[in-house]
Amino acid sequence: MFAAAIARARESAAVTVFAPPSELEAIRAAHGPQARVSHRPGSVLGPWCEAADAVDAVLLADVLVGLPDADAVHALRRAAESLAQGGRLLVLCDLIEPDEAYDHDLEHQLIEFALSGGGGRTLDGHLALFADAGLAVAERLALPWGYTVFELTPSSS
């Protein structure tokens, strides 16, 4: 869905969806072939691309929620390493607001933590991951339904 929207919005964009093979099968079944959208099997924890294949942008859409902190930091570093000079790392996530969360929201996060060691994170939790990965927030954009997009760049420190 994101890949097709990006390809439609930017005629010069070639979009690669990078996901485990099982997810790629589901994506292909749900969305069919799309112009300028390709699929590549892999894991956010594995190698992304060679330096010669550096990309202009990486979008991690709801990826960090299923990863423990150490794995999330590793995935963020790998994604940032795959960027061409001046490229952008975008992270789409659903921030947990403890004071505003419903019991079911918190139950869902507890189950996610038990299953994967990850789960939803607060703003401070995300900022800590970004800092640990050597990334700084260039921009933060709030979207409807509680979603947030962070544009990240390598820290200057």
Side-chain angles (χ1 to χ4, degrees):
M1 182 165 90
F2 290 121
I6 292 168
R8 280 193 307 272
R10 295 207 167 214
E11 289 188 22
S12 63
V15 181
T16 301
V17 176
F18 186 73
S22 58
E23 288 183 34
L24 292 178
E25 286 179 17
I27 291 168
R28 287 183 193 115
H31 301 287
Q34 299 165 332
R36 297 187 330 278
V37 175
S38 62
H39 300 93
R40 183 170 160 211
S43 163
V44 294
L45 299 177
W48 283 67
C49 64
E50 301 298 322
D53 297 326
V55 297
D56 293 325
V58 171
L59 170 63
L60 298 177
D62 261 346
V63 171
L64 302 180
V65 71
L67 299 174
D69 289 353
D71 292 349
V73 168
H74 179 80
L76 288 164
R77 285 181 184 148
R78 286 291 200 171
E81 289 167 359
S82 73
L83 295 171
Q85 183 69 24
R88 298 190 291 172
L89 174 55
L90 306 169
V91 175
L92 172 77
C93 58
D94 186 4
L95 295 178
I96 299 298
E97 302 286 347
D99 296 337
E100 299 174 14
Y102 294 102
D103 290 346
H104 294 294
D105 296 329
L106 299 175
E107 290 167 358
H108 175 74
Q109 297 312 315
L110 181 59
I111 291 169
E112 185 67 43
F113 179 76
L115 292 174
S116 70
R121 294 176 175 89
T122 62
L123 172 62
D124 288 342
H126 278 89
L127 295 177
L129 289 180
F130 303 154
D132 288 349
L135 301 167
V137 177
E139 187 173 352
R140 176 179 160 206
L141 176 65
L143 300 177
W145 299 290
Y147 283 95
T148 300
V149 175
F150 292 95
E151 180 181 339
L152 306 173
T153 58
S155 295
S156 57
S157 57

